Amino acid sequence: MVCGGFVCTKNALCALNILYVLVSLLLIGVAAWGKWLGLVSSINVVAGVIGVGAFLFLVAFVGLCGALKHHQVLLFFYMMILFIVFVVQFSVSCACLALNKEQQNNLLAAGWNKSEVTQNDIEKTLDCCGFFTVDLNGTCPARCFHVAPKPTCNSCSDIIQQYTGDVLRFVGSIGLFFSFTEILGVWLTHRYRNIKDPRGNPGAFL
């Protein structure tokens, strides 16, 4: 059977959803590993990453079951959810690539002020204190703050801004890549739903 027929489309859809399952398990595993090793102490960050992984796993599972059984209802809901995810992810990815330096700083400052636990994680990991300025009369978990006789810390914004542009470009590029796989999944699902199963009743549209 030539590619584009029932079996080829089914196999392509199954392969795509297996890829999504692997990515979802990777996200869950990395989040759990980071929490276990103490690299990330913020439960909100860990829960967010695990939540994204669990949602992706659920969507991929629905798509895989729909593809294996040629189930019209499952395939329809899978196609709709995948299209919504594509729109959101494509928009966020484009925003990541389009942010200028001032917008990046505003976004970083907003995130910094939202969680004290996240602040401590960043200060310990990057060995810095404060966001814009170092408060010598305050407290800081970074190693540099406890150097005698005087702390030698840089502000965290100085260090973060060195990598922000590269990180946003990387995240935006990865997001765009997966958004195109999602629109591919939508197209494959739409095509697969409208192909008759050659092993079924020739007079029935499954």
Side-chain angles (χ1 to χ4, degrees):
M1 181 175 292
V2 297
C3 192
F6 181 86
V7 174
C8 186
T9 306
K10 175 182 178 180
N11 291 340
L13 198 55
C14 288
L16 185 64
N17 283 288
I18 289 173
L19 173 64
Y20 288 156
V21 168
L22 295 176
V23 172
S24 68
L25 294 177
L26 179 64
L27 285 173
I28 295 171
V30 167
W33 176 72
K35 180 63 177 175
W36 181 62
L37 291 181
L39 298 176
V40 180
S41 59
S42 174
I43 192 65
N44 292 332
V45 173
V46 174
V49 175
I50 291 178
V52 170
F55 174 76
L56 180 59
F57 181 86
L58 181 62
V59 172
F61 181 76
V62 170
L64 196 57
C65 289
L68 291 174
K69 297 179 179 296
H70 199 226
H71 196 289
Q72 293 292 313
V73 176
L74 286 178
L75 289 172
F76 174 78
F77 281 109
Y78 170 75
M79 183 172 63
M80 291 297 101
I81 294 172
L82 204 61
F83 181 74
I84 294 171
V85 172
F86 161 75
V87 172
V88 174
Q89 186 168 316
F90 184 80
S91 302
V92 172
S93 299
C94 290
C96 287
L97 295 173
L99 286 175
N100 58 39
K101 197 166 187 65
E102 181 181 355
Q103 292 170 328
Q104 292 174 16
N105 290 337
N106 292 336
L107 186 63
L108 289 171
W112 177 269
N113 294 324
K114 186 169 285 188
S115 171
E116 187 173 341
V117 175
T118 303
Q119 292 178 20
N120 292 334
D121 285 341
I122 294 174
E123 288 173 338
K124 284 193 295 186
T125 303
L126 299 182
D127 199 23
C128 59
C129 289
F131 190 69
F132 289 116
T133 58
V134 180
D135 184 7
L136 298 179
N137 297 320
T139 59
C140 179
R143 294 186 303 273
C144 62
F145 192 77
H146 304 285
V147 174
K150 183 179 178 181
T152 58
C153 297
N154 294 319
S155 66
C156 291
S157 65
D158 293 338
I159 299 176
I160 294 174
Q161 287 169 1
Q162 296 176 16
Y163 307 102
T164 302
D166 292 336
V167 170
L168 286 175
R169 282 191 292 271
F170 176 77
V171 171
S173 300
I174 294 295
L176 279 179
F177 170 77
F178 277 101
S179 67
F180 286 122
T181 68
E182 287 155 7
I183 202 64
L184 173 64
V186 171
W187 177 78
L188 284 173
T189 306
H190 179 267
R191 178 180 179 83
Y192 185 56
R193 289 184 74 239
N194 291 281
I195 299 178
K196 291 182 180 180
D197 187 346
R199 295 166 298 182
N201 183 357
F205 180 73
L206 302 178

mmCIF file of all heavy atoms in Angstrom, residues 33-72:
data_model
loop_
_atom_site.group_PDB
_atom_site.id
_atom_site.type_symbol
_atom_site.label_atom_id
_atom_site.label_comp_id
_atom_site.label_asym_id
_atom_site.label_seq_id
_atom_site.Cartn_x
_atom_site.Cartn_y
_atom_site.Cartn_z
ATOM 1 N N TRP A 33 13.384 14.325 39.069
ATOM 2 C CA TRP A 33 14.828 14.212 39.326
ATOM 3 C C TRP A 33 15.374 15.510 39.916
ATOM 4 O O TRP A 33 16.160 15.492 40.868
ATOM 5 C CB TRP A 33 15.535 13.890 38.009
ATOM 6 C CG TRP A 33 17.025 13.831 38.093
ATOM 7 C CD1 TRP A 33 17.784 12.863 38.689
ATOM 8 C CD2 TRP A 33 17.954 14.777 37.546
ATOM 9 N NE1 TRP A 33 19.120 13.149 38.553
ATOM 10 C CE2 TRP A 33 19.251 14.311 37.858
ATOM 11 C CE3 TRP A 33 17.809 15.956 36.828
ATOM 12 C CZ2 TRP A 33 20.393 15.006 37.469
ATOM 13 C CZ3 TRP A 33 18.946 16.639 36.444
ATOM 14 C CH2 TRP A 33 20.219 16.174 36.762
ATOM 15 N N GLY A 34 14.933 16.650 39.373
ATOM 16 C CA GLY A 34 15.385 17.941 39.890
ATOM 17 C C GLY A 34 14.926 18.172 41.316
ATOM 18 O O GLY A 34 15.671 18.709 42.148
ATOM 19 N N LYS A 35 13.698 17.756 41.636
ATOM 20 C CA LYS A 35 13.199 17.889 43.000
ATOM 21 C C LYS A 35 13.927 16.961 43.950
ATOM 22 O O LYS A 35 14.279 17.333 45.078
ATOM 23 C CB LYS A 35 11.694 17.598 43.003
ATOM 24 C CG LYS A 35 11.029 17.710 44.371
ATOM 25 C CD LYS A 35 11.103 19.121 44.913
ATOM 26 C CE LYS A 35 10.369 19.236 46.249
ATOM 27 N NZ LYS A 35 10.523 20.570 46.845
ATOM 28 N N TRP A 36 14.191 15.740 43.509
ATOM 29 C CA TRP A 36 14.851 14.745 44.353
ATOM 30 C C TRP A 36 16.279 15.156 44.683
ATOM 31 O O TRP A 36 16.748 14.983 45.812
ATOM 32 C CB TRP A 36 14.821 13.394 43.651
ATOM 33 C CG TRP A 36 15.454 12.288 44.448
ATOM 34 C CD1 TRP A 36 15.064 11.814 45.673
ATOM 35 C CD2 TRP A 36 16.606 11.516 44.072
ATOM 36 N NE1 TRP A 36 15.888 10.800 46.084
ATOM 37 C CE2 TRP A 36 16.845 10.588 45.131
ATOM 38 C CE3 TRP A 36 17.441 11.506 42.960
ATOM 39 C CZ2 TRP A 36 17.899 9.676 45.087
ATOM 40 C CZ3 TRP A 36 18.479 10.600 42.920
ATOM 41 C CH2 TRP A 36 18.706 9.696 43.975
ATOM 42 N N LEU A 37 16.984 15.738 43.700
ATOM 43 C CA LEU A 37 18.362 16.166 43.934
ATOM 44 C C LEU A 37 18.446 17.528 44.609
ATOM 45 O O LEU A 37 19.543 17.979 44.942
ATOM 46 C CB LEU A 37 19.135 16.207 42.604
ATOM 47 C CG LEU A 37 19.433 14.866 41.935
ATOM 48 C CD1 LEU A 37 20.226 15.079 40.660
ATOM 49 C CD2 LEU A 37 20.224 13.952 42.886
ATOM 50 N N GLY A 38 17.308 18.182 44.778
ATOM 51 C CA GLY A 38 17.311 19.491 45.420
ATOM 52 C C GLY A 38 17.720 20.621 44.504
ATOM 53 O O GLY A 38 18.010 21.726 44.972
ATOM 54 N N LEU A 39 17.739 20.374 43.190
ATOM 55 C CA LEU A 39 18.103 21.437 42.248
ATOM 56 C C LEU A 39 17.000 22.485 42.168
ATOM 57 O O LEU A 39 17.271 23.662 41.921
ATOM 58 C CB LEU A 39 18.352 20.842 40.855
ATOM 59 C CG LEU A 39 19.503 19.830 40.747
ATOM 60 C CD1 LEU A 39 19.581 19.255 39.340
ATOM 61 C CD2 LEU A 39 20.824 20.489 41.130
ATOM 62 N N VAL A 40 15.762 22.047 42.364
ATOM 63 C CA VAL A 40 14.612 22.957 42.360
ATOM 64 C C VAL A 40 13.797 22.671 43.616
ATOM 65 O O VAL A 40 13.327 21.551 43.804
ATOM 66 C CB VAL A 40 13.728 22.755 41.108
ATOM 67 C CG1 VAL A 40 12.544 23.720 41.124
ATOM 68 C CG2 VAL A 40 14.548 22.945 39.838
ATOM 69 N N SER A 41 13.649 23.676 44.466
ATOM 70 C CA SER A 41 12.890 23.476 45.699
ATOM 71 C C SER A 41 11.466 24.021 45.593
ATOM 72 O O SER A 41 10.634 23.752 46.454
ATOM 73 C CB SER A 41 13.611 24.137 46.880
ATOM 74 O OG SER A 41 13.778 25.521 46.654
ATOM 75 N N SER A 42 11.182 24.786 44.536
ATOM 76 C CA SER A 42 9.845 25.363 44.366
ATOM 77 C C SER A 42 8.870 24.286 43.915
ATOM 78 O O SER A 42 8.994 23.732 42.817
ATOM 79 C CB SER A 42 9.878 26.506 43.348
ATOM 80 O OG SER A 42 8.574 26.969 43.079
ATOM 81 N N ILE A 43 7.889 23.994 44.769
ATOM 82 C CA ILE A 43 6.906 22.969 44.432
ATOM 83 C C ILE A 43 6.031 23.416 43.270
ATOM 84 O O ILE A 43 5.528 22.587 42.502
ATOM 85 C CB ILE A 43 6.044 22.626 45.668
ATOM 86 C CG1 ILE A 43 5.218 21.364 45.422
ATOM 87 C CG2 ILE A 43 5.160 23.802 46.049
ATOM 88 C CD1 ILE A 43 6.041 20.118 45.239
ATOM 89 N N ASN A 44 5.851 24.733 43.109
ATOM 90 C CA ASN A 44 5.031 25.240 42.007
ATOM 91 C C ASN A 44 5.669 24.950 40.658
ATOM 92 O O ASN A 44 4.990 24.582 39.699
ATOM 93 C CB ASN A 44 4.810 26.745 42.165
ATOM 94 C CG ASN A 44 3.939 27.093 43.353
ATOM 95 O OD1 ASN A 44 3.097 26.304 43.753
ATOM 96 N ND2 ASN A 44 4.141 28.267 43.923
ATOM 97 N N VAL A 45 7.001 25.128 40.568
ATOM 98 C CA VAL A 45 7.715 24.849 39.322
ATOM 99 C C VAL A 45 7.654 23.369 38.991
ATOM 100 O O VAL A 45 7.350 22.971 37.854
ATOM 101 C CB VAL A 45 9.179 25.333 39.420
ATOM 102 C CG1 VAL A 45 9.973 24.895 38.193
ATOM 103 C CG2 VAL A 45 9.238 26.843 39.585
ATOM 104 N N VAL A 46 7.932 22.535 39.994
ATOM 105 C CA VAL A 46 7.909 21.086 39.784
ATOM 106 C C VAL A 46 6.510 20.615 39.396
ATOM 107 O O VAL A 46 6.334 19.829 38.456
ATOM 108 C CB VAL A 46 8.385 20.350 41.060
ATOM 109 C CG1 VAL A 46 8.232 18.841 40.898
ATOM 110 C CG2 VAL A 46 9.835 20.705 41.358
ATOM 111 N N ALA A 47 5.497 21.111 40.119
ATOM 112 C CA ALA A 47 4.123 20.719 39.820
ATOM 113 C C ALA A 47 3.703 21.184 38.433
ATOM 114 O O ALA A 47 2.980 20.474 37.720
ATOM 115 C CB ALA A 47 3.178 21.298 40.877
ATOM 116 N N GLY A 48 4.158 22.364 38.022
ATOM 117 C CA GLY A 48 3.835 22.875 36.694
ATOM 118 C C GLY A 48 4.407 22.001 35.591
ATOM 119 O O GLY A 48 3.711 21.667 34.623
ATOM 120 N N VAL A 49 5.676 21.623 35.731
ATOM 121 C CA VAL A 49 6.322 20.783 34.712
ATOM 122 C C VAL A 49 5.680 19.397 34.673
ATOM 123 O O VAL A 49 5.411 18.849 33.598
ATOM 124 C CB VAL A 49 7.836 20.671 34.980
ATOM 125 C CG1 VAL A 49 8.486 19.707 33.991
ATOM 126 C CG2 VAL A 49 8.500 22.041 34.883
ATOM 127 N N ILE A 50 5.417 18.831 35.846
ATOM 128 C CA ILE A 50 4.771 17.516 35.901
ATOM 129 C C ILE A 50 3.359 17.596 35.321
ATOM 130 O O ILE A 50 2.904 16.684 34.618
ATOM 131 C CB ILE A 50 4.742 16.988 37.348
ATOM 132 C CG1 ILE A 50 6.164 16.638 37.803
ATOM 133 C CG2 ILE A 50 3.841 15.762 37.461
ATOM 134 C CD1 ILE A 50 6.255 16.156 39.237
ATOM 135 N N GLY A 51 2.656 18.703 35.594
ATOM 136 C CA GLY A 51 1.317 18.883 35.040
ATOM 137 C C GLY A 51 1.318 18.940 33.525
ATOM 138 O O GLY A 51 0.462 18.323 32.870
ATOM 139 N N VAL A 52 2.290 19.661 32.956
ATOM 140 C CA VAL A 52 2.414 19.721 31.492
ATOM 141 C C VAL A 52 2.715 18.339 30.933
ATOM 142 O O VAL A 52 2.134 17.913 29.918
ATOM 143 C CB VAL A 52 3.506 20.726 31.092
ATOM 144 C CG1 VAL A 52 3.814 20.623 29.598
ATOM 145 C CG2 VAL A 52 3.082 22.148 31.432
ATOM 146 N N GLY A 53 3.623 17.611 31.598
ATOM 147 C CA GLY A 53 3.956 16.261 31.146
ATOM 148 C C GLY A 53 2.762 15.323 31.213
ATOM 149 O O GLY A 53 2.527 14.528 30.294
ATOM 150 N N ALA A 54 1.990 15.419 32.313
ATOM 151 C CA ALA A 54 0.808 14.549 32.465
ATOM 152 C C ALA A 54 -0.260 14.880 31.417
ATOM 153 O O ALA A 54 -0.902 13.979 30.861
ATOM 154 C CB ALA A 54 0.236 14.705 33.875
ATOM 155 N N PHE A 55 -0.453 16.178 31.140
ATOM 156 C CA PHE A 55 -1.428 16.578 30.115
ATOM 157 C C PHE A 55 -1.010 16.065 28.745
ATOM 158 O O PHE A 55 -1.839 15.534 27.987
ATOM 159 C CB PHE A 55 -1.553 18.099 30.099
ATOM 160 C CG PHE A 55 -2.420 18.626 28.996
ATOM 161 C CD1 PHE A 55 -3.807 18.534 29.079
ATOM 162 C CD2 PHE A 55 -1.859 19.207 27.864
ATOM 163 C CE1 PHE A 55 -4.613 19.010 28.049
ATOM 164 C CE2 PHE A 55 -2.651 19.690 26.839
ATOM 165 C CZ PHE A 55 -4.035 19.592 26.932
ATOM 166 N N LEU A 56 0.275 16.203 28.420
ATOM 167 C CA LEU A 56 0.764 15.721 27.136
ATOM 168 C C LEU A 56 0.622 14.210 27.032
ATOM 169 O O LEU A 56 0.247 13.679 25.968
ATOM 170 C CB LEU A 56 2.230 16.128 26.954
ATOM 171 C CG LEU A 56 2.913 15.713 25.646
ATOM 172 C CD1 LEU A 56 2.187 16.295 24.439
ATOM 173 C CD2 LEU A 56 4.375 16.157 25.651
ATOM 174 N N PHE A 57 0.898 13.514 28.128
ATOM 175 C CA PHE A 57 0.750 12.049 28.139
ATOM 176 C C PHE A 57 -0.698 11.653 27.889
ATOM 177 O O PHE A 57 -0.983 10.731 27.115
ATOM 178 C CB PHE A 57 1.235 11.485 29.475
ATOM 179 C CG PHE A 57 1.143 9.991 29.576
ATOM 180 C CD1 PHE A 57 2.179 9.194 29.099
ATOM 181 C CD2 PHE A 57 0.026 9.375 30.123
ATOM 182 C CE1 PHE A 57 2.097 7.806 29.173
ATOM 183 C CE2 PHE A 57 -0.066 7.995 30.199
ATOM 184 C CZ PHE A 57 0.977 7.213 29.731
ATOM 185 N N LEU A 58 -1.640 12.364 28.541
ATOM 186 C CA LEU A 58 -3.061 12.057 28.374
ATOM 187 C C LEU A 58 -3.514 12.284 26.932
ATOM 188 O O LEU A 58 -4.223 11.451 26.349
ATOM 189 C CB LEU A 58 -3.883 12.912 29.335
ATOM 190 C CG LEU A 58 -5.405 12.700 29.304
ATOM 191 C CD1 LEU A 58 -5.757 11.266 29.700
ATOM 192 C CD2 LEU A 58 -6.105 13.691 30.225
ATOM 193 N N VAL A 59 -3.089 13.418 26.354
ATOM 194 C CA VAL A 59 -3.459 13.725 24.966
ATOM 195 C C VAL A 59 -2.884 12.672 24.018
ATOM 196 O O VAL A 59 -3.570 12.185 23.112
ATOM 197 C CB VAL A 59 -2.974 15.131 24.577
ATOM 198 C CG1 VAL A 59 -3.185 15.384 23.081
ATOM 199 C CG2 VAL A 59 -3.717 16.195 25.384
ATOM 200 N N ALA A 60 -1.614 12.316 24.232
ATOM 201 C CA ALA A 60 -0.980 11.317 23.378
ATOM 202 C C ALA A 60 -1.653 9.958 23.525
ATOM 203 O O ALA A 60 -1.809 9.215 22.540
ATOM 204 C CB ALA A 60 0.506 11.206 23.721
ATOM 205 N N PHE A 61 -2.063 9.619 24.744
ATOM 206 C CA PHE A 61 -2.736 8.336 24.982
ATOM 207 C C PHE A 61 -4.068 8.284 24.240
ATOM 208 O O PHE A 61 -4.421 7.265 23.632
ATOM 209 C CB PHE A 61 -2.949 8.133 26.486
ATOM 210 C CG PHE A 61 -3.604 6.836 26.840
ATOM 211 C CD1 PHE A 61 -2.888 5.650 26.801
ATOM 212 C CD2 PHE A 61 -4.941 6.800 27.199
ATOM 213 C CE1 PHE A 61 -3.499 4.439 27.120
ATOM 214 C CE2 PHE A 61 -5.556 5.600 27.517
ATOM 215 C CZ PHE A 61 -4.836 4.420 27.478
ATOM 216 N N VAL A 62 -4.827 9.395 24.295
ATOM 217 C CA VAL A 62 -6.098 9.469 23.566
ATOM 218 C C VAL A 62 -5.857 9.313 22.067
ATOM 219 O O VAL A 62 -6.569 8.571 21.371
ATOM 220 C CB VAL A 62 -6.821 10.792 23.863
ATOM 221 C CG1 VAL A 62 -8.017 10.988 22.930
ATOM 222 C CG2 VAL A 62 -7.283 10.831 25.315
ATOM 223 N N GLY A 63 -4.836 10.017 21.553
ATOM 224 C CA GLY A 63 -4.524 9.928 20.135
ATOM 225 C C GLY A 63 -4.082 8.535 19.726
ATOM 226 O O GLY A 63 -4.460 8.041 18.646
ATOM 227 N N LEU A 64 -3.301 7.883 20.592
ATOM 228 C CA LEU A 64 -2.810 6.542 20.273
ATOM 229 C C LEU A 64 -3.954 5.531 20.262
ATOM 230 O O LEU A 64 -4.046 4.696 19.359
ATOM 231 C CB LEU A 64 -1.745 6.141 21.295
ATOM 232 C CG LEU A 64 -0.836 4.963 20.950
ATOM 233 C CD1 LEU A 64 -0.104 5.202 19.634
ATOM 234 C CD2 LEU A 64 0.164 4.741 22.077
ATOM 235 N N CYS A 65 -4.843 5.634 21.254
ATOM 236 C CA CYS A 65 -6.000 4.725 21.287
ATOM 237 C C CYS A 65 -6.912 4.964 20.082
ATOM 238 O O CYS A 65 -7.398 4.016 19.459
ATOM 239 C CB CYS A 65 -6.795 4.936 22.584
ATOM 240 S SG CYS A 65 -5.958 4.345 24.060
ATOM 241 N N GLY A 66 -7.136 6.236 19.756
ATOM 242 C CA GLY A 66 -7.968 6.549 18.601
ATOM 243 C C GLY A 66 -7.383 6.034 17.303
ATOM 244 O O GLY A 66 -8.106 5.546 16.427
ATOM 245 N N ALA A 67 -6.045 6.143 17.183
ATOM 246 C CA ALA A 67 -5.386 5.676 15.961
ATOM 247 C C ALA A 67 -5.436 4.154 15.844
ATOM 248 O O ALA A 67 -5.688 3.612 14.764
ATOM 249 C CB ALA A 67 -3.939 6.170 15.934
ATOM 250 N N LEU A 68 -5.196 3.454 16.949
ATOM 251 C CA LEU A 68 -5.171 1.993 16.908
ATOM 252 C C LEU A 68 -6.554 1.409 16.625
ATOM 253 O O LEU A 68 -6.690 0.404 15.925
ATOM 254 C CB LEU A 68 -4.630 1.449 18.233
ATOM 255 C CG LEU A 68 -3.139 1.697 18.502
ATOM 256 C CD1 LEU A 68 -2.769 1.244 19.908
ATOM 257 C CD2 LEU A 68 -2.276 0.980 17.469
ATOM 258 N N LYS A 69 -7.594 2.047 17.166
ATOM 259 C CA LYS A 69 -8.953 1.528 17.008
ATOM 260 C C LYS A 69 -9.724 2.213 15.879
ATOM 261 O O LYS A 69 -10.854 1.826 15.594
ATOM 262 C CB LYS A 69 -9.723 1.705 18.334
ATOM 263 C CG LYS A 69 -9.144 0.912 19.497
ATOM 264 C CD LYS A 69 -9.943 1.163 20.768
ATOM 265 C CE LYS A 69 -9.405 0.359 21.927
ATOM 266 N NZ LYS A 69 -9.525 -1.100 21.733
ATOM 267 N N HIS A 70 -9.136 3.240 15.280
ATOM 268 C CA HIS A 70 -9.821 4.043 14.263
ATOM 269 C C HIS A 70 -11.156 4.544 14.819
ATOM 270 O O HIS A 70 -12.197 4.493 14.155
ATOM 271 C CB HIS A 70 -10.028 3.231 12.986
ATOM 272 C CG HIS A 70 -10.302 4.094 11.787
ATOM 273 N ND1 HIS A 70 -11.316 3.826 10.897
ATOM 274 C CD2 HIS A 70 -9.703 5.229 11.331
ATOM 275 C CE1 HIS A 70 -11.333 4.737 9.945
ATOM 276 N NE2 HIS A 70 -10.360 5.611 10.186
ATOM 277 N N HIS A 71 -11.068 5.048 16.069
ATOM 278 C CA HIS A 71 -12.259 5.478 16.800
ATOM 279 C C HIS A 71 -12.556 6.934 16.448
ATOM 280 O O HIS A 71 -11.791 7.840 16.767
ATOM 281 C CB HIS A 71 -12.014 5.319 18.304
ATOM 282 C CG HIS A 71 -13.259 5.372 19.129
ATOM 283 N ND1 HIS A 71 -13.969 6.532 19.327
ATOM 284 C CD2 HIS A 71 -13.922 4.397 19.812
ATOM 285 C CE1 HIS A 71 -15.006 6.291 20.107
ATOM 286 N NE2 HIS A 71 -15.009 4.994 20.419
ATOM 287 N N GLN A 72 -13.699 7.161 15.810
ATOM 288 C CA GLN A 72 -14.011 8.496 15.298
ATOM 289 C C GLN A 72 -14.134 9.550 16.397
ATOM 290 O O GLN A 72 -13.658 10.678 16.243
ATOM 291 C CB GLN A 72 -15.314 8.443 14.489
ATOM 292 C CG GLN A 72 -15.211 7.634 13.211
ATOM 293 C CD GLN A 72 -14.295 8.294 12.189
ATOM 294 O OE1 GLN A 72 -14.388 9.472 11.940
ATOM 295 N NE2 GLN A 72 -13.400 7.517 11.621
#
